[in-house]
Amino acid sequence: MDSYETKIYIAILIGAAILGIILAYFVITIIRHQRRAVQFHEEKIRAEISTLEKDRSRIVADLHDELGPLLSTVRMELNSLETPLEQDHKLIDKASNHLDNVLERIREISRDLMPQALTRKGLATALEEFVNELNAGNGPKINLTIKKSLVLVKEFEIHIYRILQEIINNALKHSEATEIVIKICQSATLTQLSVTDNGCGFIPHAINPESMGLGLKNIMSRVDIMKGDLYLDSSPGEGTRYTIEIPLAT
């Protein structure tokens, strides 16, 4: 190889090296931008959910500490009224019963917004109470399998409770199921949740981001925050199965 060919060869190598460096720079820049975008998206979702949970806690506190005692006081004062008329007694009793119903409804709303068992006794007890309350009604039979020994950070307990709450409420509204089975187990590497119903089912691929309901979006957002995976298996007439796998923190 003469000197001219050598110079051309070296020039080609240098050009290829420069082009490779430029391409590598652009690839690295794109990857960094994507990572930043993903991180920003996760932080945004986390902030939105955190704000939502704080708002729920504030509303529960307002209901429990202000509105509840106020209505209880009104009921006591109403029952203390004395009147010789039987008709007035009936009106007082009727109004008192209405206040009792309102107070009970406030307690139900408070439990839905932020169950005391979840903050005081953990996920397993909160879910057991939630399921027992639903089973006391006329809806589908709900079977829950969960171990008391689950090891989860408090934030994940809240996310999992909200996810299961959303899935069950969706099933109660839309699935026409007569039975719902919930299983939560934990291995050395992950926590797995599965919710199966025998309802009417649907076509999962028919769901797209534009038509996706707020409930399913919230489920997916919470799964993303926990770095988990969501699998949805359903078909018309064959029921629906949600499987969620959440890696344990290392």
Side-chain angles (χ1 to χ4, degrees):
M1 182 181 294
D2 58 28
S3 60
Y4 177 74
E5 292 176 339
T6 300
K7 290 179 180 179
I8 293 177
Y9 180 71
I10 293 174
I12 292 173
L13 289 178
I14 293 173
I18 293 174
L19 181 60
I21 292 172
I22 293 173
L23 289 174
Y25 173 78
F26 277 113
V27 169
I28 292 172
T29 302
I30 292 172
I31 291 174
R32 285 178 176 174
H33 279 302
Q34 288 178 336
R35 287 178 178 174
R36 288 174 184 171
V38 170
Q39 183 179 4
F40 176 77
H41 179 65
E42 290 179 353
E43 290 176 353
K44 181 181 178 182
I45 292 175
R46 190 183 295 273
E48 289 175 351
I49 290 179
S50 177
T51 300
L52 177 62
E53 293 297 338
K54 288 179 181 178
D55 287 343
R56 283 173 167 168
S57 297
R58 177 182 54 79
I59 293 171
V60 169
D62 290 343
L63 290 174
H64 183 269
D65 298 336
E66 296 182 16
L67 186 56
L70 178 61
L71 290 175
S72 295
T73 301
V74 172
R75 183 184 59 181
M76 291 177 59
E77 292 178 349
L78 186 64
N79 290 333
S80 67
L81 293 176
E82 296 182 2
T83 175
L85 300 177
E86 181 65 23
Q87 184 177 1
D88 290 342
H89 277 295
K90 291 181 179 179
L91 289 174
I92 291 173
D93 290 340
K94 185 176 181 180
S96 181
N97 288 334
H98 285 321
L99 284 172
D100 287 338
N101 292 334
V102 171
L103 287 168
E104 179 58 31
R105 184 56 185 148
I106 287 175
R107 285 190 284 268
E108 291 175 358
I109 293 172
S110 297
R111 286 196 297 269
D112 288 340
L113 289 173
M114 183 57 68
Q116 294 299 312
L118 182 60
T119 56
R120 295 178 181 176
K121 302 177 183 178
L123 177 65
T125 301
L127 285 175
E128 287 173 353
E129 291 186 1
F130 177 56
V131 168
N132 289 338
E133 184 177 346
L134 291 175
N135 281 333
N138 297 322
K141 175 65 177 177
I142 302 177
N143 297 307
L144 171 67
T145 301
I146 183 173
K147 290 186 177 180
K148 298 279 188 179
S149 58
L150 285 176
V151 179
L152 292 164
V153 297
K154 183 59 66 176
E155 179 188 0
F156 280 23
E157 286 192 336
I158 294 174
H159 288 321
I160 291 172
Y161 183 89
R162 297 298 185 203
I163 287 170
L164 293 174
Q165 191 179 40
E166 193 68 54
I167 291 174
I168 293 171
N169 286 336
N170 283 344
L172 295 177
K173 291 178 182 178
H174 307 297
S175 73
E176 301 176 7
T178 60
E179 184 178 22
I180 301 173
V181 178
I182 306 168
K183 294 182 180 179
I184 304 177
C185 59
Q186 198 170 60
S187 68
T189 58
L190 58 82
T191 302
Q192 185 179 71
L193 298 71
S194 69
V195 184
T196 307
D197 68 59
N198 63 349
C200 58
F202 59 95
I203 304 175
H205 64 72
I207 298 177
N208 57 66
E210 288 74 21
S211 64
M212 190 183 300
L214 182 61
L216 188 53
K217 287 181 180 178
N218 288 337
I219 292 171
M220 296 176 67
S221 296
R222 291 181 185 273
V223 172
D224 287 341
I225 287 176
M226 296 185 289
K227 309 295 185 183
D229 295 306
L230 170 64
Y231 305 95
L232 178 57
D233 182 20
S234 183
S235 59
E238 298 296 329
T240 301
R241 178 183 179 88
Y242 291 85
T243 302
I244 299 171
E245 295 181 348
I246 304 163
L248 296 182
T250 57

